[in-house]
Amino acid sequence: MGRQKGEGGRGKNRASSSSFAASLVPAGVSSVGFGGYLGSSRIEHSSTAEESPSNLGVDSELAQHLKRLGRKDPTTKVKALMALCVLLKEKPGEEIVHILPLWVYEYKRLLLDYNREVRQAAHDTMTSIVAVVRKGLAPHLKSLMGPWWFAQFDPVPEVSQAARFSLEAAFVTSERRLDALILYVNEIFSYLDENLKLTHAMSDKATPADEIEDMHQRVISSSLLAISTLIDILLGKKLETTSEDMNHEQKLAAKALITVAASAENLFSVNNCVLEFFKHKNPSVRSATYSTLSAYMKCIPHAYNEGNKASLSAFILGSLQEKDMSCHSSMWDMILLFCRTFQMLGLTSTFIRRAISSSFFPKPLGWKEPIILLTADSATFFKAFQECFLWVFEHVTRFSKSEDDAHMLSIKLFNDVLIKLSWYDYIQVNPKILDVSSLEITDAEVDRMTFDDSSAAIPKYSSGYIKKLGKCIMNILMHITLYEINLDHFCATFVKDSLAILQYRLRSGRFQEPLRRIIDFLLLSQHPLSKGQTWPWELLAGPLIASSFSIIKAIDSIDSVEFLSVIVGIYGPVRVVAHIHVCINEHCCLGSTNHGDDDLIEKQFLQTIKDDLVPWCLLKQTQSTGAKLDLLLSLMQDAYSVEQWHAILTFLL
């Protein structure tokens, strides 16, 4: 029998379990990390499989359908389960109670079935049984709760939802469901622990190899997710009252949580196979492993002891090599939590020191190979990237033998990470064609090296990814300025690249998207700055305007004029016109804008408006005329409006 759609791995149609978390956990109890978790099905140990209970005293018709559940044909099983659902509505509860030992045995086997329809029908039948027997199920909960909890994490949404409905039918309120988890927590952890120890030799020889492989992967991933979710639910929130203030029920709950923590810690300490799952070939297993380690770090950090800390740290940091995008969100959550929880670990410093001395900083990409740090959850990635970059930057002396070494390492961070990797990924232009020495490059060569060419073997990122990357770069720059660190090198690169993009725009009429990204980056400087911070204007926009106005005039395109209007909108007409004045009067320097001389500022402002900007905007009709008129309006200042309108009307008349 072939693989069914949605059986293996994490499917796109998989339902979120956030609503399940809300239904399970009562108000006031944290359910952090529950939403979105999934899982799979378990394969029973052939050597330890339970013997089938006797069917003595069981209604013959019910017994017949129960017997059919042992067949290999999935269609037969589904029909038998549907027939049972019909009979359950006709039989009295006292009679149904007698089949429970047989049913529990079969149910535990059915939820491991490879066929999704069989598993879903089994949960539907369980819901019908619970509705009839009610409290009659209690004697069987000890052996049932582990598989039942495990079943909540089936990778097929319809199956996991059916499992949820059956659990809710037995425990109607969220408080009762939570009580059941606490009461049988030892049995649940024991069951999941056995799952993690399973090998591929777990089914009869007639089962196809691909089905066995899929079943094994699903049982591991779902067991790990069941563990991490259980820890999050039961230990995600600490009791806020002191022992003296607790009533009897609260003390019992606190005692139960101690038992939960002990069970979880014991499972973690004795089960070394968790480390093997970091290298598992199936992405869903690796992702579930990252989630499980995060749950332990968040709720039971003392589980990381001297005996396992070194090996676990190596595996956690080694997961940076993860290439599957479906794993990146859980991977970065784990790494970020690890750095926050154990950032003083000597091993962390050792790892970073080794990384810095070897291959941590990427060599120039050559724009032939895609960057591997693309993640589905790019917000999580960029948050982690920003915090890691700033942590290394702030502790640069730890990895240096002298002040000179520390200075060189800071420069290396800027050059290799913030500029060569991040900045050029943001503007999505090959740095080779932005080099002044390469301005004579042919258009054909430009085509081969630009991100905008669909034939180039270079990744093209989504607009959302690009925006988050730009914000990340700006946040890093703003944070670094608080330490009064010199940003001249980055800012010089920004101005140089922006000018090159404008020049290529003038030459070929292309590079519209890179120019738009430059504008968007300047817009990010509108974010709240600390008191006295003026560097975005002084180091980025100001020098760029002073260097580029002649190019903008020559391009005379809508986007280049809009580029100027955006800068006016951000930094104000007086500042921008002062730097345009510098650009026009080449004998002036940037220091001659006379910030403190109001009379000279007014004179230069009105002179530049009258002699340069008004004629440029109104002299002739072009495709950018509308944009130029908008620019003139954006330059209007209340203090000089009369003079400005006089200059416009005089020119027109």
Side-chain angles (χ1 to χ4, degrees):
M1 196 173 145
R3 182 186 300 272
Q4 298 181 51
K5 183 179 179 181
E7 282 293 326
R10 302 176 62 177
K12 292 183 179 179
N13 297 324
R14 189 178 66 182
S16 170
S17 59
S18 58
S19 58
F20 175 32
S23 68
L24 178 70
V25 184
V29 177
S30 172
S31 59
V32 176
F34 197 98
Y37 287 130
L38 294 171
S40 190
S41 54
R42 172 181 184 268
I43 294 83
E44 199 73 65
H45 289 281
S46 59
S47 60
T48 60
E50 300 176 18
E51 294 183 1
S52 178
S54 170
N55 61 359
L56 293 177
V58 177
D59 178 88
S60 59
E61 192 174 10
L62 290 171
Q64 180 183 1
H65 292 304
L66 286 169
K67 184 178 181 180
R68 292 169 63 198
L69 296 177
R71 304 280 181 85
K72 291 184 179 180
D73 178 31
T75 303
T76 301
K77 295 177 184 178
V78 172
K79 288 182 178 179
L81 289 166
M82 294 174 63
L84 280 172
C85 286
V86 174
L87 286 175
L88 289 171
K89 298 177 182 179
E90 302 173 355
K91 303 289 183 179
E94 296 80 5
E95 193 170 325
I96 302 301
V97 168
H98 293 298
I99 74 165
L100 288 182
L102 279 169
W103 166 250
V104 171
Y105 169 77
E106 294 294 347
Y107 177 68
K108 291 164 66 175
R109 294 176 63 246
L110 290 169
L111 61 84
L112 310 175
D113 200 281
Y114 179 78
N115 187 281
R116 65 168 74 180
E117 293 179 357
V118 171
R119 301 197 303 272
Q120 182 176 354
H123 297 313
D124 292 339
T125 306
M126 173 61 91
T127 302
S128 299
I129 288 178
V130 168
V132 176
V133 301
R134 293 296 179 185
K135 293 183 179 180
L137 195 64
H140 306 279
L141 289 177
K142 191 170 185 178
S143 64
L144 187 60
M145 279 304 298
W148 212 351
W149 175 247
F150 170 84
Q152 310 299 305
F153 301 90
D154 195 288
V156 180
E158 294 83 1
V159 179
S160 59
Q161 186 179 49
R164 171 190 169 186
F165 288 160
S166 67
L167 188 68
E168 291 180 347
F171 307 100
V172 180
T173 65
S174 57
E175 289 80 5
R176 292 184 63 186
R177 291 192 285 276
L178 189 63
D179 289 342
L181 291 179
I182 294 175
L183 182 61
Y184 297 105
V185 68
N186 287 330
E187 287 75 20
I188 296 174
F189 273 117
S190 177
Y191 177 86
L192 298 174
D193 181 44
E194 288 298 315
N195 284 356
L196 297 181
K197 296 174 182 176
L198 289 174
T199 65
H200 287 78
M202 58 183 71
S203 186
D204 58 73
K205 296 180 180 179
T207 304
D210 62 331
E211 291 189 12
I212 295 177
E213 179 68 22
D214 178 74
M215 293 162 75
H216 183 254
Q217 292 171 355
R218 290 188 294 119
V219 69
I220 297 301
S221 63
S222 65
S223 296
L224 289 169
L225 292 169
I227 290 170
S228 63
T229 306
L230 190 61
I231 292 173
D232 271 339
I233 290 174
L234 299 183
L235 301 176
K237 182 172 182 177
K238 307 298 182 183
L239 290 174
E240 299 178 355
T241 55
T242 62
S243 57
E244 292 80 6
D245 298 330
M246 290 182 183
N247 57 33
H248 180 67
E249 290 185 356
Q250 288 175 325
K251 289 181 179 180
L252 289 177
K255 186 177 180 179
L257 293 182
I258 293 175
T259 303
V260 171
S263 298
E265 187 176 354
N266 181 65
L267 182 149
F268 185 74
S269 61
V270 301
N271 208 327
N272 294 325
C273 63
V274 172
L275 297 181
E276 300 175 5
F277 302 145
F278 272 97
K279 300 177 289 185
H280 201 283
K281 65 180 181 181
N282 184 270
S284 64
V285 173
R286 297 197 303 273
S287 180
T289 304
Y290 303 152
S291 296
T292 302
L293 270 293
S294 295
Y296 272 95
M297 276 187 280
K298 182 166 55 178
C299 302
I300 320 175
H302 55 272
Y304 294 81
N305 51 48
E306 295 303 322
N308 60 31
K309 191 179 294 182
S311 58
L312 280 169
S313 300
F315 276 100
I316 290 171
L317 294 173
S319 67
L320 283 166
Q321 301 178 59
E322 177 62 64
K323 296 181 180 180
D324 195 288
M325 290 177 59
S326 66
C327 300
H328 285 169
S329 179
S330 57
M331 179 201 75
W332 281 112
D333 285 341
M334 175 190 66
I335 292 175
L336 193 56
L337 187 58
F338 171 79
C339 292
R340 288 173 177 170
T341 307
F342 305 109
Q343 63 174 337
M344 300 308 291
L345 284 176
L347 183 62
T348 305
S349 297
T350 302
F351 171 82
I352 294 176
R353 187 176 291 108
R354 287 179 180 176
I356 288 173
S357 63
S358 56
S359 60
F360 177 76
F361 298 111
K363 58 186 177 182
L365 293 176
W367 309 102
K368 294 180 180 179
E369 57 203 53
I371 181 173
I372 64 171
L373 294 180
L374 245 178
T375 172
D377 188 358
S378 54
T380 301
F381 163 67
F382 286 124
K383 182 179 180 181
F385 173 79
Q386 178 181 327
E387 293 197 12
C388 290
F389 182 95
L390 291 174
W391 189 89
V392 175
F393 190 86
E394 292 169 9
H395 298 85
V396 69
T397 54
R398 292 189 180 189
F399 317 110
S400 310
K401 296 180 180 179
S402 64
E403 289 188 6
D404 288 341
D405 287 343
H407 178 67
M408 292 303 297
L409 180 54
S410 297
I411 293 176
K412 194 172 181 65
L413 275 169
F414 268 92
N415 287 348
D416 290 354
V417 179
L418 204 61
I419 295 177
K420 291 181 181 179
L421 179 62
S422 305
W423 170 248
Y424 289 116
D425 253 11
Y426 172 75
I427 59 174
Q428 299 229 286
V429 176
N430 189 329
K432 290 182 180 179
I433 65 175
L434 298 180
D435 191 335
V436 174
S437 63
S438 301
L439 290 181
E440 300 303 320
I441 194 171
T442 67
D443 288 342
E445 291 173 309
V446 170
D447 284 342
R448 287 195 296 270
M449 292 189 292
T450 177
F451 274 83
D452 295 326
D453 189 331
S454 59
S455 65
I458 302 170
K460 193 168 184 179
Y461 303 140
S462 67
S463 59
Y465 180 91
I466 292 295
K467 289 178 181 179
K468 292 185 179 72
L469 174 56
K471 185 177 180 180
C472 177
I473 296 171
M474 183 60 74
N475 287 342
I476 289 174
L477 293 173
M478 288 183 173
H479 187 91
I480 289 176
T481 57
L482 299 178
Y483 295 88
E484 299 182 354
I485 302 297
N486 194 317
L487 299 180
D488 286 352
H489 185 62
F490 178 87
C491 296
T493 300
F494 168 85
V495 173
K496 175 184 73 67
D497 291 344
S498 300
L499 285 173
I501 288 171
L502 284 167
Q503 287 170 335
Y504 279 112
R505 184 79 177 132
L506 171 62
R507 169 183 160 183
S508 64
R510 300 167 54 191
F511 280 71
Q512 183 175 3
E513 281 303 313
L515 182 59
R516 171 54 57 185
R517 294 185 188 108
I518 296 292
I519 295 174
D520 290 342
F521 190 75
L522 289 173
L523 286 171
L524 289 169
S525 65
Q526 295 182 98
H527 291 184
L529 295 171
S530 298
K531 186 176 181 180
Q533 278 194 323
T534 57
W535 67 270
W537 166 253
E538 294 175 350
L539 299 180
L540 295 179
L544 178 58
I545 289 299
S547 305
S548 66
F549 180 68
S550 58
I551 301 175
I552 294 174
K553 287 180 65 177
I555 294 175
D556 198 23
S557 64
I558 295 175
D559 53 301
S560 64
V561 176
E562 288 179 346
F563 170 70
L564 189 57
S565 296
V566 167
I567 297 179
V568 171
I570 298 173
Y571 301 106
V574 175
R575 277 181 170 178
V576 173
V577 172
H579 280 70
I580 290 175
H581 179 83
V582 170
C583 181
I584 295 170
N585 299 274
E586 296 181 0
H587 61 279
C588 298
C589 64
L590 290 180
S592 65
T593 51
N594 299 292
H595 296 292
D597 192 333
D598 293 339
D599 291 337
L600 185 56
I601 290 174
E602 178 181 353
K603 180 180 178 181
Q604 290 179 345
F605 179 81
L606 293 175
Q607 178 187 341
T608 304
I609 292 286
K610 177 182 177 182
D611 297 344
D612 299 288
L613 292 173
V614 169
W616 173 51
C617 293
L618 301 178
L619 183 60
K620 60 180 180 179
Q621 291 283 335
T622 66
Q623 62 175 353
S624 63
T625 296
K628 290 176 184 176
L629 293 177
D630 290 338
L631 173 63
L632 278 180
L633 291 176
S634 69
L635 290 170
M636 286 294 173
Q637 287 285 91
D638 290 343
Y640 313 130
S641 60
V642 174
E643 292 86 349
Q644 286 178 271
W645 280 113
H646 181 268
I648 293 172
L649 293 174
T650 299
F651 181 84
L652 291 173
L653 297 175

